[in-house]
Amino acid sequence: MSGLLPPDLALFDALLLIVTAGFTSMMTAAMGIGGGLLLLAVMGQIVPLNALIPVHGLVQLGSNANRALMMRRHIDWRMAGLFAAGAIPGALLASMVVVQLPLVTIQLCIGLFILWLVWGPKLSKHELSRASFVLMGGLTTVITVFVGATGPLVGAFIHRNSFDRFRTVGTFATCLSVQHLLKAAVFSFIGFSFIDWLGLSLLMVASGALGTWIGLNLLKKIPAERFSLIFKTLVTLLALRLIWLAVTGLI
């Protein structure tokens, strides 16, 4: 297995990342959200900073693509298409951005916006326009290049559409698959080499596929009302965590 690992990465750390990838994929498939951010938090303790965001994105691409494939009958393709229409120019913009916003600013803005999406006044059908889907795709794709895990933001927006739990998870996975694919293209364009991390990433994706299968079977056993409550609670906790990180970073 050592030949599959990046240089200077301990075997124990690699095994921890592989196991975590499976667990977080199971978590996202069963609860709808949260796995990507948790995986990023764990990887942040092990993976070098210059490789953290691109490698996390590559693993998340595999995990979300697997989940989208398994949930393909439940995907809202109209919303996914509009999201992609915004994500493509967003990725082009991100590849040209030189000045990065302070991390605490991004964390605070995302956290507050998530809370508004989940707990704020319900948007009308008129307000949930095509333009809003396209704009969300563009904004979150720009942001994900810098902070890695925008899943809670995308998930909170999708949740506003009152989809059933299967449509929520399937559409969410498809949107994130598009986003992470574009992010990988951006990092390749600016010169990041995935070769050293490809073997470990594939092992993490395989672990994630198993976790996704387990999680989707758990999803079928979760009542719709409980899913909605769990989803809103989890995304709220993730938003509060972002706000807390921002506040502590300013102190």
Side-chain angles (χ1 to χ4, degrees):
M1 182 175 173
S2 59
L4 296 174
L5 302 184
D8 302 322
L9 184 69
L11 178 60
F12 175 81
D13 288 338
L15 291 174
L16 177 60
L17 291 176
I18 293 169
V19 172
T20 301
F23 174 77
T24 54
S25 290
M26 180 185 70
M27 174 182 173
T28 302
M31 301 301 175
I33 201 168
L37 190 56
L38 179 58
L39 179 62
L40 183 65
V42 175
M43 290 180 67
Q45 311 303 312
I46 299 172
V47 178
L49 185 60
N50 67 319
L52 177 59
I53 302 301
V55 173
H56 174 266
L58 185 63
V59 174
Q60 286 297 96
L61 169 61
S63 177
N64 282 284
N66 278 325
R67 191 158 57 254
L69 180 63
M70 295 179 189
M71 300 288 286
R72 59 189 179 277
R73 292 183 300 167
H74 304 281
I75 296 169
D76 185 311
W77 290 107
R78 173 183 172 274
M79 181 175 184
L82 292 170
F83 184 91
I88 292 172
L92 292 174
L93 176 61
S95 67
M96 297 183 290
V97 171
V98 178
V99 180
Q100 181 177 344
L101 290 174
L103 180 58
V104 293
T105 302
I106 297 173
Q107 290 172 330
L108 186 61
C109 290
I110 293 176
L112 292 174
F113 189 47
I114 289 173
L115 292 179
W116 179 79
L117 284 174
V118 173
W119 299 105
K122 188 69 174 179
L123 296 175
S124 69
K125 291 183 179 179
H126 176 70
E127 290 172 311
L128 287 173
S129 62
R130 291 184 177 183
S132 65
F133 294 130
V134 174
L135 182 61
M136 178 58 62
L139 286 176
T140 57
T141 300
V142 171
I143 293 171
T144 193
V145 172
F146 300 107
V147 298
T150 53
L153 182 56
V154 177
F157 187 78
I158 292 174
H159 184 263
R160 299 288 290 190
N161 293 271
S162 301
F163 290 164
D164 63 59
R165 59 194 188 279
F166 296 102
R167 199 173 177 188
T168 295
V169 173
T171 305
F172 177 67
T174 304
C175 290
L176 287 191
S177 295
V178 171
Q179 193 170 83
H180 287 301
L181 178 61
L182 292 170
K183 181 164 64 175
V186 168
F187 278 103
S188 296
F189 175 75
I190 63 177
F192 181 80
S193 176
F194 288 95
I195 296 300
D196 288 341
W197 294 89
L198 188 58
L200 176 63
S201 297
L202 291 175
L203 291 173
M204 292 175 70
V205 168
S207 175
L210 176 60
T212 294
W213 181 81
I214 296 172
L216 291 178
N217 280 279
L218 291 175
L219 177 65
K220 296 175 183 178
K221 301 176 181 179
I222 302 175
E225 297 78 10
R226 184 173 298 177
F227 173 84
S228 180
L229 177 61
I230 292 173
F231 187 97
K232 293 178 74 172
T233 301
L234 184 56
V235 77
T236 298
L237 290 174
L238 291 172
L240 292 174
R241 177 182 178 275
L242 285 173
I243 294 171
W244 171 254
L245 290 174
V247 171
T248 55
L250 290 171
I251 298 175

